[in-house]
Amino acid sequence: MKKTINILAAFVLLTVMGSAVSDTKQDGWISIFDGKSLKGWKVGNNASSFSVVDGAIQVSGPVAHLFYEGPVKNHMFKNFEFKAQVMTKPGANSGIYIHTAYQETGWPSKGYEVQVNNSHTDWKRTGSLYNIQDVKETYVKDNEWYTEYIKVEGKHITIKINDKTVVDYEETDTDKRSGGEKDRILSSGTFALQAHDPKSVVLFKDIQVKPLTE
């Protein structure tokens, strides 16, 4: 009888574990920030602009960019969903780059920037596909956590702020890009977080990606 009970208990445990694994796979979201360190991320000049504070990446300092270079998809994404919890301090400006590539210095030349800015003097607000499809409205407040979501599928980009769609963009005008915008196109690449200026303080946490079929 005892042996039967033990076998039954083991079966129940395996069933529960199997269900949990199945749910994880079905959900598909993968964390790319461990909440403790910048492991899997790389920054060139002005590395001190990024630190980990209370489980979040704090961005505060001169111009710099923190690139994801971890193992998920070998940090090379094409079609994906991305989301992060973000908090801006008053007057802050930052951004989330997609389809980009590591640079030691300067503003990333490859890929798109998705704006993070609720009260900076730049009128292009949070959720803007910067200089491509800009958002004038302010949907969230400083000093409050909000969700910034980005989806790339084929030539389509969707950006949501707290589940509200603020950008719904189909890439059809790349032939009109020139100068500093010529590489603002969809291809493939990694993500980067921006330190815009010494007065801008922004926090990022719960950074996750869901790779989609290519």
Side-chain angles (χ1 to χ4, degrees):
M1 183 69 175
K2 185 176 181 181
K3 183 176 181 181
T4 302
I5 292 173
N6 287 340
I7 291 173
L8 181 60
F11 175 77
V12 171
L13 179 60
L14 287 172
T15 300
V16 172
M17 289 176 64
S19 175
V21 170
S22 176
D23 289 345
T24 300
K25 288 182 178 179
Q26 185 177 13
D27 183 57
W29 288 99
I30 305 167
S31 177
I32 57 173
F33 167 55
D34 64 16
K36 302 174 183 177
S37 70
L38 297 179
K39 182 180 179 181
W41 295 77
K42 183 178 180 180
V43 60
N45 281 7
N46 299 324
S48 62
S49 291
F50 300 94
S51 59
V52 178
V53 177
D54 295 332
I57 296 176
Q58 178 174 278
V59 183
S60 177
V63 175
H65 293 84
L66 181 68
F67 296 82
Y68 176 68
E69 292 217 334
V72 178
K73 295 287 287 183
N74 196 29
H75 53 270
M76 187 59 61
F77 303 92
K78 186 175 181 181
N79 295 327
F80 62 84
E81 292 177 77
F82 171 100
K83 63 182 178 180
Q85 294 292 305
V86 186
M87 180 190 290
T88 58
K89 297 299 182 179
N93 192 335
S94 182
I96 302 166
Y97 281 81
I98 60 172
H99 281 200
T100 194
Y102 176 77
Q103 286 182 208
E104 190 76 12
T105 62
W107 311 100
S109 61
K110 183 178 184 289
Y112 287 100
E113 179 190 357
V114 178
Q115 177 76 308
V116 175
N117 163 23
N118 296 316
S119 60
H120 189 269
T121 54
D122 187 344
W123 64 268
K124 298 167 186 176
R125 295 306 189 197
T126 291
S128 294
L129 192 62
Y130 200 80
N131 276 350
I132 305 297
Q133 192 171 114
D134 292 309
V135 175
K136 295 181 180 180
E137 297 80 8
T138 303
Y139 291 99
V140 285
K141 299 178 180 179
D142 291 323
N143 294 317
E144 293 182 4
W145 288 107
Y146 71 89
T147 301
E148 191 146 359
Y149 167 95
I150 306 161
K151 181 179 181 180
V152 173
E153 194 162 27
K155 293 295 182 181
H156 201 87
I157 301 174
T158 305
I159 301 170
K160 296 181 181 181
I161 303 300
N162 285 345
D163 293 326
K164 179 179 178 60
T165 299
V166 297
V167 167
D168 191 19
Y169 171 76
E170 186 75 21
E171 187 184 73
T172 59
D173 55 354
T174 55
D175 58 323
K176 299 176 183 177
R177 309 278 164 81
S178 61
E181 305 298 324
K182 65 182 179 64
D183 292 322
R184 301 278 179 242
I185 57 174
L186 291 173
S187 54
S188 62
T190 192
F191 306 105
L193 306 179
Q194 179 188 85
H196 184 272
D197 63 78
K199 294 182 179 180
S200 291
V201 179
V202 180
L203 298 166
F204 295 89
K205 67 178 183 179
D206 300 333
I207 305 171
Q208 300 177 64
V209 64
K210 181 192 287 187
L212 302 176
T213 304
E214 298 181 2

